[in-house]
Amino acid sequence: MPWTEDKIDALVSSQREFFLSGCTLPVKWRIGQLRKLKAAIIENREELEKALALDLGRSTVEAYLCDIGPTIAEINETIAGLRRWARPERHFSGLMCFPSIITRVYKMPYGVTLVISPFNFPILLTLGVLAASIAGGNTTVLKTSSKSTACTAALKKLISATFPPHYVSLVDGGHATADLCLARRFDKIFYTGSPEVAKHVMAEASRNLTPVALELGGETGNWCIIRADADLRDAARKIAFFKSMNAGQICININQIAVAREVADSFIAELKTAFEKQLGTSPLSCAEYPKLIDTKAFDKCAALADEYRDRIVSGGKGNQQTLRFEPTVIYPVDINEDIVNRELFCPLLPVVPFKDSEIGELLDTVSRREHPLAMYIFTRNRRWARRVMSSMQYGGGCVNEVCVHLMVKGVPFGGTGHSGMGAYHGIWGFREFTHPQTVLFGKTHLNLPLREHPYGGKAGKIKLAILRLFER
């Protein structure tokens, strides 16, 4: 049965009543729900793997590596840390507040949350975010992608068997259903997807002044910079692995490579070899190589490859029936061409040559574009790398590595500007789904009349002198 305005209204109302009952507040209860979620994932692991294979052509190993395993790890970290994270903070109020010297900060849930997840990592980016919402003490409406139909069906079955709908519920359907959800008043919205849709989400959220967290890909893509002193074989091996993963449909994937002209030919040769070692001479017939999500995505990728057909140095072929398209290296590409000024979200990999001595000009151009979600640098000069990575704006990244910053416990994941706002994973997810409330505990005796009138004359001068002393 399709979702209607009345059904969604009833769902949100039931979740709001459940939240107001206070049932979600005890930390022990939240940990119990996280354990139920983890158990459900483990119990339904094979079904989730099959759904990932149907939607995205994922092998069992890649399904676990990219979706199922990280979700379980995220839940484990949250269970282990939640009691500590949720504990109220105790602060000294300061002399200005004397005699009320104790102030506490409570980490309060927002209430009823809406999580809108994408097709590319349908398990991790649905259940991983749900774990953060549960940890914060919220109720949750999940709106999953209509593109990953098998995963949405598997998730709907898992959620309905694990949680009552007045606590956690999954809403399926297309853009119209998403708009029905956005038209309702939620207390927090978490959206993962494209910058263009994010603008619409923010506009709808603004009607109710609902706070939002946005995890986006960046409009001008994630750069990988390879200096002349880099270990080219190591870089090629890691880049080939990453670009093959999920057929390039990853928000933190390498969108374009900038390689020092002095080593460009050698690097491209190494990259070709790396792709062949990992996927064989015919990636289209490799059972482990994932596929694009649908015909529209395939046709968009194929059309863009045709535009640059004369500069394809590796790959370039696709099979519309299987929706597979080879990892495709395009070289040389100018830094101002259209293909490096937008997020590709496919296995195309444009390579931009630059003079290693002119690295500053390259970085200046990248800095003036929209902030990427990820940045990757390959070089032996760690001092230079630290200086660059600590002075540019992007979501996160690696030096001489790709993507694994996403797996580090205790650190935030999130973008800035057109690559998003807010952050999550571990304690950062808990913070994203809670609001800090400051409460001062006052005293009923020994209260000084410093803040009270009169402010003039001798009394005023004395009060002012004491206030200035307190503010030091």
Side-chain angles (χ1 to χ4, degrees), residues 12-303:
V12 175
S13 295
S14 69
Q15 290 208 358
R16 193 170 303 284
E17 288 303 313
F18 184 67
F19 174 75
L20 292 174
S21 73
C23 288
T24 67
L25 294 181
V27 173
K28 183 178 179 180
W29 188 85
R30 301 182 211 177
I31 291 173
Q33 306 311 302
L34 289 167
R35 287 180 173 145
K36 286 171 62 176
L37 178 60
K38 176 184 172 181
I41 295 170
I42 294 171
E43 183 181 343
N44 291 275
R45 179 178 59 81
E46 290 186 5
E47 188 171 349
L48 294 174
E49 288 171 353
K50 289 176 182 177
L52 286 164
L54 287 171
D55 286 333
L56 293 158
R58 298 259 195 91
S59 67
T60 300
V61 173
E62 188 165 328
Y64 195 87
L65 173 68
C66 296
D67 262 283
I68 299 170
T71 305
I72 293 173
E74 181 78 13
I75 296 170
N76 286 340
E77 181 183 357
T78 304
I79 291 171
L82 185 53
R83 284 189 176 88
R84 184 174 68 257
W85 304 341
R87 191 178 298 137
E89 296 175 15
R90 181 182 168 118
H91 296 263
F92 172 56
S93 304
L95 293 176
M96 285 287 291
C97 301
F98 182 85
S100 306
I101 60 173
I102 300 299
T103 294
R104 285 186 170 86
V105 178
Y106 296 96
K107 289 72 174 285
M108 296 299 294
Y110 279 103
V112 184
T113 67
L114 171 65
V115 174
I116 304 176
S117 61
F119 72 83
N120 58 329
F121 290 92
I123 310 304
L124 175 62
L125 299 181
T126 302
L127 301 185
V129 182
L130 172 61
S133 180
I134 289 174
N138 305 280
T139 68
T140 312
V141 173
L142 301 168
K143 170 61 185 74
T144 51
S145 175
S146 60
K147 294 181 178 180
S148 48
T149 54
C151 287
T152 289
L155 285 169
K156 189 171 185 178
K157 179 181 175 183
L158 182 153
I159 292 296
S160 62
T162 308
F163 303 110
H166 59 255
Y167 177 47
V168 181
S169 187
L170 190 146
V171 173
D172 51 5
H175 295 304
T177 305
D179 281 342
L180 286 177
C181 291
L182 289 169
R184 312 278 79 75
R185 180 183 174 275
F186 284 89
D187 302 304
K188 177 79 175 186
I189 296 175
F190 193 108
Y191 168 77
T192 304
S194 70
E196 201 58 39
V197 176
K199 295 174 186 177
H200 173 64
V201 171
M202 283 196 73
E204 292 300 302
S206 69
R207 298 177 187 274
N208 292 305
L209 298 179
T210 301
V212 298
L214 305 175
E215 295 297 337
L216 316 175
E219 289 186 5
T220 51
N222 306 316
W223 282 88
C224 176
I225 298 172
I226 300 176
R227 297 293 304 272
D229 66 347
D231 184 327
L232 301 182
R233 181 170 297 176
D234 178 70
R237 175 186 175 188
K238 291 170 179 175
I239 291 168
F241 145 74
F242 195 24
K243 197 63 183 179
S244 302
M245 183 187 290
N246 213 33
Q249 300 166 114
I250 306 175
C251 59
I252 60 169
N253 212 327
I254 296 166
N255 201 73
Q256 57 269 323
I257 296 174
V259 59
R261 194 183 304 274
E262 297 88 332
V263 297
D265 290 340
S266 299
F267 169 72
I268 288 172
E270 292 285 2
L271 190 57
K272 290 179 182 178
T273 301
F275 275 125
E276 187 171 325
K277 279 185 177 180
Q278 295 182 36
L279 299 175
T281 55
S282 179
L284 298 183
S285 58
C286 176
E288 295 180 357
Y289 182 53
K291 66 185 180 71
L292 293 164
I293 187 64
D294 55 23
T295 302
K296 182 179 178 181
F298 177 90
D299 291 345
K300 183 179 179 181
C301 176

Side-chain angles (χ1 to χ4, degrees), residues 213-472:
L214 305 175
E215 295 297 337
L216 316 175
E219 289 186 5
T220 51
N222 306 316
W223 282 88
C224 176
I225 298 172
I226 300 176
R227 297 293 304 272
D229 66 347
D231 184 327
L232 301 182
R233 181 170 297 176
D234 178 70
R237 175 186 175 188
K238 291 170 179 175
I239 291 168
F241 145 74
F242 195 24
K243 197 63 183 179
S244 302
M245 183 187 290
N246 213 33
Q249 300 166 114
I250 306 175
C251 59
I252 60 169
N253 212 327
I254 296 166
N255 201 73
Q256 57 269 323
I257 296 174
V259 59
R261 194 183 304 274
E262 297 88 332
V263 297
D265 290 340
S266 299
F267 169 72
I268 288 172
E270 292 285 2
L271 190 57
K272 290 179 182 178
T273 301
F275 275 125
E276 187 171 325
K277 279 185 177 180
Q278 295 182 36
L279 299 175
T281 55
S282 179
L284 298 183
S285 58
C286 176
E288 295 180 357
Y289 182 53
K291 66 185 180 71
L292 293 164
I293 187 64
D294 55 23
T295 302
K296 182 179 178 181
F298 177 90
D299 291 345
K300 183 179 179 181
C301 176
L304 189 56
D306 284 341
E307 287 183 37
Y308 290 85
R309 182 64 57 183
D310 59 334
R311 283 182 273 173
I312 291 177
V313 296
S314 177
K317 297 189 292 293
N319 184 329
Q320 192 182 50
Q321 288 186 325
T322 63
L323 299 179
R324 286 197 177 107
F325 202 95
E326 293 178 327
T328 299
V329 182
I330 303 170
Y331 176 81
V333 177
D334 186 81
I335 197 169
N336 294 312
E337 290 191 58
D338 177 68
I339 197 171
V340 293
N341 277 280
R342 55 172 156 148
E343 186 182 22
L344 299 176
F345 223 65
C346 68
L348 302 186
L349 188 56
V351 179
V352 177
F354 69 95
K355 289 184 181 179
D356 198 61
S357 61
E358 298 175 357
I359 182 64
E361 295 178 21
L362 172 75
L363 294 176
D364 182 67
T365 300
V366 172
S367 295
R368 292 177 184 277
R369 294 181 179 175
E370 300 298 348
H371 305 323
L373 183 58
M375 172 77 76
Y376 305 102
I377 288 178
F378 285 86
T379 179
R380 286 186 170 89
N381 189 339
R382 287 186 171 269
R383 179 178 293 181
W384 174 83
R386 282 195 295 269
R387 186 170 68 250
V388 170
M389 298 300 269
S390 64
S391 60
M392 296 186 70
Q393 291 176 294
Y394 53 92
C398 303
V399 176
N400 294 325
E401 190 50 275
V402 293
C403 78
V404 290
H405 65 290
L406 184 71
M407 309 300 292
V408 180
K409 290 184 178 181
V411 299
F413 175 78
T416 176
H418 281 232
S419 60
M421 60 179 67
Y424 74 121
H425 289 181
I427 188 172
W428 298 87
F430 172 79
R431 290 171 179 168
E432 190 63 55
F433 279 94
T434 54
H435 171 68
Q437 294 181 183
T438 299
V439 179
L440 180 143
F441 288 81
K443 298 289 187 179
T444 58
H445 56 279
L446 297 179
N447 286 285
L448 300 178
L450 288 175
R451 60 189 174 187
E452 301 165 8
H453 290 278
Y455 294 153
K458 184 178 179 180
K461 289 180 181 179
I462 293 173
K463 290 177 181 180
L464 186 58
I466 296 173
L467 288 171
R468 284 174 174 168
L469 182 65
F470 282 175
E471 288 173 357
R472 288 182 181 178

